[in-house]
Amino acid sequence: MNPQRSFVTIADLSREKILYLIRMAEEFEAFPNRDLLKNRIVATLFFEPSTRTRLSFETAANRLGAKVIGFTDPKVTSSTKGETLKDTIMMVSNYADVIVMRHYLEGAAQYASEVSPVPVVNAGDGANQHPSQTMLDLYSIYKTQGRLDDLNILLVGDLKYGRTVHSLLMAMRHFNPTFHFIAPKELAMPEEYKVYCREHGIRYEEHEDFNADVIAKADILYMTRVQRERFTDLMEYERVKDVYILRAAMLNKARENMKILHPLPRVNEIAYDVDNDPHAYYFEQARNGLYARQAIISDVLGFTLEDVQNNKLQL
Ligand code: CP
């Protein structure tokens, strides 16, 4: 068992570890092609749909010289015959050096890490956490602001089910942020995360209005999709799905340094006229996922920043 090397929750990461992984991501951005993971196998087990997370993890593994196995649809696996998650993890650990897993159950990644002999990387567990997304969010914030400390961050949209915002606020506890939670009542930040903020001295304000005046407060404007797949009542989804739509005209009071992030996919919450605005950063943010995930895979396999710096580039 090797749970200590797994990457399951952002809550485990110290300020120093976050900054260390950012340094590693910078190295990978400078030179993405390496042979650090030559002869290693990375398994990607996706029990839920994904575009960015799976493809960027697989690209990260490929650019590091590893080979990739896995599945994108659990219906083609023996879980349909009743195989348990534990047995699936035990089987895959016979074949792979690291397991990247997305699962619809909250806590599934923690459980997998406890039974797995190889490191497990959480690629999203239900509405709980998405820590690799958080690392790429932090890297994006660091790149665009030049720091992580003392920033004003607006979180907008589905703050109830959006696992990326839950992970982000936990990670930011080290960096003295001020959060503004902007959500309709039905999708408000859950009480447990507000308690977390109070316990960790994180300042936050709650708003229901989303307009140019509140956007003017932001260094980072973090938009989220309303998570249709988490609703049990689809009528409620229909009521709230388009409650906040960011349009270019709403950016006229935005700070010059302000960047718009979104974990993507977007549905309607960012109008296309925002895409060419200099504040828009969500496509670059997704690209940063490659470098952040190269850092995460390397780190859980025991490679250090020095190993990365010394690794010979593949020609
Ligand atoms: N941001 C994110 O998790 O995207 P995917 O669902 O496409 O992986």
Side-chain angles (χ1 to χ4, degrees):
M1 307 293 164
N2 199 6
Q4 72 281 2
R5 273 246 167 251
S6 291
F7 187 86
V8 169
T9 168
I10 207 76
D12 290 346
L13 268 59
S14 65
R15 174 186 171 97
E16 291 69 32
K17 183 73 184 204
I18 288 170
L19 295 173
Y20 178 85
L21 290 173
I22 286 175
R23 281 284 300 117
M24 225 190 240
E26 284 178 325
E27 291 288 333
F28 285 124
E29 180 161 7
F31 298 105
N33 295 322
R34 313 271 179 153
D35 58 5
L36 201 65
L37 302 190
K38 201 173 160 199
N39 302 324
R40 303 292 181 122
I41 306 286
V42 176
T44 55
L45 313 186
F46 277 69
F47 291 85
E48 273 197 331
S50 167
T51 297
R52 277 145 295 274
T53 308
R54 183 177 66 80
L55 292 177
S56 61
F57 266 119
E58 294 188 357
T59 306
N62 282 309
R63 287 202 181 275
L64 291 171
K67 293 190 169 59
V68 177
I69 61 170
F71 55 81
T72 58
D73 180 357
K75 288 203 284 295
V76 302
T77 74
S78 288
S79 62
T80 57
K81 303 173 199 164
E83 187 160 58
T84 62
L85 179 60
K86 177 180 179 184
D87 287 0
T88 301
I89 294 293
M90 294 305 286
M91 287 309 99
V92 175
S93 69
N94 285 330
Y95 314 134
D97 299 292
V98 54
I99 296 172
V100 177
M101 185 179 82
R102 171 170 287 186
H103 202 283
Y104 47 86
L105 287 180
E106 296 175 24
Q110 178 62 39
Y111 175 73
S113 76
E114 288 168 7
V115 299
S116 176
V118 301
V120 172
V121 176
N122 183 3
D125 61 325
N128 186 32
Q129 291 239 350
H130 195 350
S132 70
Q133 175 72 44
T134 305
M135 272 316 305
L136 79 89
D137 293 344
L138 294 169
Y139 185 45
S140 300
I141 294 169
Y142 184 82
K143 273 176 69 176
T144 60
Q145 307 299 314
R147 67 188 204 279
L148 292 176
D149 291 289
D150 307 322
L151 295 171
N152 283 294
I153 301 178
L154 269 58
L155 303 178
V156 182
D158 186 348
L159 307 188
K160 179 178 180 185
Y161 298 115
R163 56 194 172 195
T164 64
V165 293
H166 303 158
S167 291
L168 183 61
L169 80 78
M170 291 175 120
M172 288 302 294
R173 76 190 185 281
H174 302 296
F175 301 102
N176 192 38
T178 301
F179 280 106
H180 297 265
F181 301 151
I182 304 175
K185 281 192 178 61
E186 298 88 335
L187 299 176
M189 184 63 79
E191 190 58 29
E192 67 187 276
Y193 291 103
K194 290 192 266 183
V195 169
Y196 185 91
C197 286
R198 293 195 286 273
E199 285 177 353
H200 291 84
I202 300 172
R203 290 178 299 280
Y204 69 87
E205 294 175 17
E206 292 185 273
H207 312 259
E208 282 192 52
D209 290 336
F210 181 46
N211 52 40
D213 289 327
V214 71
I215 291 171
K217 299 174 191 287
D219 299 303
I220 294 292
L221 171 53
Y222 196 101
M223 299 295 298
T224 63
R225 172 179 68 92
V226 177
Q227 309 257 307
R228 183 179 189 278
E229 65 274 28
R230 313 272 177 228
F231 281 75
T232 46
D233 177 358
L234 284 184
M235 292 293 283
E236 185 173 314
Y237 169 75
E238 290 298 324
R239 270 199 306 278
V240 296
K241 68 176 185 181
D242 290 331
V243 67
Y244 301 130
I245 299 177
L246 178 64
R247 302 183 192 283
M250 296 162 71
L251 298 170
N252 58 352
K253 296 183 185 171
R255 296 178 183 179
E256 201 174 329
N257 65 305
M258 189 277 274
K259 291 295 177 198
I260 303 162
L261 303 188
H262 190 310
L264 303 178
R266 75 170 145 185
V267 185
N268 286 328
E269 59 279 359
I270 301 180
Y272 286 121
D273 68 359
V274 178
D275 291 358
N276 294 326
D277 189 283
H279 297 292
Y281 192 72
Y282 27 94
F283 295 122
E284 292 94 329
Q285 176 191 3
R287 183 181 181 84
N288 291 335
L290 168 60
Y291 316 122
R293 289 175 172 129
Q294 285 183 296
I296 291 166
I297 295 176
S298 301
D299 184 64
V300 298
L301 285 171
F303 292 100
T304 64
L305 178 59
E306 195 178 359
D307 293 331
V308 174
Q309 287 164 335
N310 292 335
N311 181 244
K312 294 209 169 29
L313 304 184
Q314 283 185 325
L315 297 177

